[in-house]
């Protein structure tokens, strides 16, 4: 949804077919999942670090990662 619609959506329930994979969620969905306790910020960061580790050798987008 565009920014003009954000105020009209119940973010805690808005889930347009999310797979449950944080890397497939929008920022709005991630925030709602963290707020509701379905995910923790630590889980999100760890998921993205694993994604970077898995994808970066092919695309070489991250030069230095301090985590």
């Amino acid at each position: 949804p565009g920014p003009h619609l954000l105020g009209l959506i119940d973010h805690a329930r808005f889930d347009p077919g999310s797979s449950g994979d944080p890397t497939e969620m929008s920022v709005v969905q991630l925030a709602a999942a963290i707020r509701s306790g379905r995910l923790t910020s630590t889980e999100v960061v760890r998921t993205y670090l694993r994604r970077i580790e898995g994808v970066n050798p092919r695309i070489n987008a991250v030069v230095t990662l301090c985590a």
Side-chain angles (χ1 to χ4, degrees):
H4 60 286
L5 295 177
L6 292 179
L8 303 175
I9 296 172
D10 179 358
H11 298 293
R13 296 183 332 163
F14 181 68
D15 188 11
S18 172
S19 66
D21 177 356
T23 63
E24 299 293 325
M25 292 179 173
S26 71
V27 173
V28 171
Q29 291 170 315
L30 284 172
I34 291 168
R35 259 193 315 277
S36 72
R38 290 191 317 264
L39 286 173
T40 67
S41 57
T42 301
E43 290 170 323
V44 173
V45 170
R46 285 183 177 155
T47 299
Y48 271 96
L49 289 173
R50 283 192 303 270
R51 172 91 172 147
I52 290 168
E53 187 178 273
V55 173
N56 196 57
R58 291 189 307 271
I59 63 174
N60 197 30
V62 179
V63 177
T64 303
L65 182 61
C66 300

